[in-house]
Amino acid sequence: MTTLSSRLDANWRAIISGEFETGVEFEQHMGKLEQFLQREKAAERDIYPEDEKIFNALNTTAFDDIKIVIIGQDPYHGKGQAHGLCFSVPKGIRKIPPSLRNIYDEIKRDCRVHMPDHGDLTKWAVQGVLLLNVTLTVRRDSPGSHKGKGWEKLTDAIIRAVNKRPEYVVFLLWGRFAQKKRALIDPKRHLVLEASHPSPLSVGRCSPDGRIHSFRGCEHFKKSNDSLIKHGLEPVEWEKI
């Protein structure tokens, strides 16, 4: 029987464990997360994504390849939707989720490209876009149900580790939940772009003080690529998914 820790890419496992006091503490934390998930399953609760997809974002995007980090909240809670990449749904899910539809609309406006009719963002991940949810699992039909169960300590360690890389990285923080992670990022070394969340309820909102602009018209995709090119890095082909 594979353990939660063993499903994580070995290089990522070493990097994340380095953000804990000791390797033993890291393994103990992973054990507690696994015990929590086992209790959920013992209570006959459906958990998403499937076990082998929990670390899909990390197992698809190598640490050394990261150019952009997009931070989401938790996985989609509908059957078959979550596959371990924030905002993404597997091919075969016929309806693109509303937040992702708004992301596509912004890319089309921003980059003047045509977006495909599916919602699988795996090829973004392959290009170096880390699609990281802060909480990596969720109970079926219950958004936020695994918040505060230990995932945040792990994903904060991931963000800290990426921030420490000597290479330049663009961080996209959409919505207040993602923007809470701003404290883990050094804006003098990396580019941090913030906007409202792309969900239909907030896509056009600005913060009362005007500091956070609306997602609609934020131009984050062009700004990200312009910044990567300026730093000698290959831009992301957003339409290539």
Side-chain angles (χ1 to χ4, degrees):
M1 179 180 175
T2 59
T3 64
L4 186 64
S5 180
S6 68
R7 297 191 192 102
L8 179 59
D9 171 82
N11 187 52
W12 267 112
R13 189 162 62 244
I15 289 164
I16 299 169
S17 67
E19 296 297 319
F20 285 72
E21 288 294 326
T22 64
V24 172
E25 183 193 357
F26 168 74
E27 291 298 341
Q28 288 175 339
H29 188 73
M30 295 293 283
K32 290 177 182 177
L33 281 169
E34 185 162 28
Q35 290 169 10
F36 164 70
L37 293 177
Q38 289 173 348
R39 289 195 299 271
E40 288 281 89
K41 293 173 184 176
E44 298 185 349
R45 293 167 176 155
D46 292 330
I47 305 302
Y48 302 140
E50 299 173 352
D51 288 350
E52 63 270 19
K53 295 292 185 181
I54 290 174
F55 296 120
N56 197 21
L58 303 177
N59 293 340
T60 306
T61 308
F63 181 76
D64 291 338
D65 293 341
I66 295 171
K67 296 185 287 190
I68 295 176
V69 178
I70 299 177
I71 298 176
Q73 189 163 344
D74 60 353
Y76 293 120
H77 55 85
K79 185 176 181 179
Q81 291 183 312
H83 67 143
L85 305 174
C86 72
F87 293 106
S88 179
V89 291
K91 289 179 180 175
I93 299 296
R94 297 181 64 182
K95 187 175 181 180
I96 295 175
S99 292
L100 182 55
R101 175 60 65 193
N102 285 331
I103 290 171
Y104 281 6
D105 287 345
E106 182 59 27
I107 293 172
K108 287 188 284 188
R109 275 193 298 267
D110 196 12
C111 302
R112 302 289 190 256
V113 295
H114 175 74
M115 298 304 293
D117 58 2
H118 67 83
D120 188 341
L121 306 180
T122 299
K123 290 186 180 178
W124 285 6
V126 172
Q127 291 184 71
V129 181
L130 181 63
L131 298 166
L132 181 69
N133 278 315
V134 170
T135 302
L136 297 186
T137 57
V138 70
R139 191 183 304 159
R140 180 176 180 174
D141 298 330
S142 185
S145 52
H146 287 184
K147 179 182 178 182
K149 304 301 182 181
W151 285 121
E152 294 87 346
K153 184 173 182 177
L154 186 75
T155 52
D156 280 0
I158 293 167
I159 296 168
R160 287 197 306 271
V162 176
N163 177 65
K164 291 176 181 177
R165 288 182 65 217
E167 295 84 6
Y168 182 78
V169 178
V170 178
F171 290 85
L172 303 182
L173 309 182
W174 301 330
R176 285 179 292 180
F177 193 89
Q179 287 151 14
K180 290 178 181 178
K181 305 304 176 183
R182 183 174 52 238
L184 303 175
I185 305 163
D186 182 358
K188 295 179 180 178
R189 297 178 52 244
H190 306 295
L191 177 62
V192 180
L193 297 175
E194 301 177 71
S196 65
H197 195 276
S199 74
L201 293 175
S202 58
V203 66
R205 291 181 182 174
C206 300
S207 64
D209 61 5
R211 192 180 71 82
I212 305 298
H213 297 286
S214 69
F215 182 84
R216 186 176 290 127
C218 67
E219 299 182 349
H220 281 186
F221 303 96
K222 186 176 185 302
K223 288 177 180 177
S224 295
N225 275 346
D226 288 348
S227 186
L228 291 174
I229 293 168
K230 182 179 178 181
H231 285 81
L233 299 169
E234 288 291 322
V236 173
E237 295 182 278
W238 298 109
E239 74 279 16
K240 296 291 181 68
I241 57 175

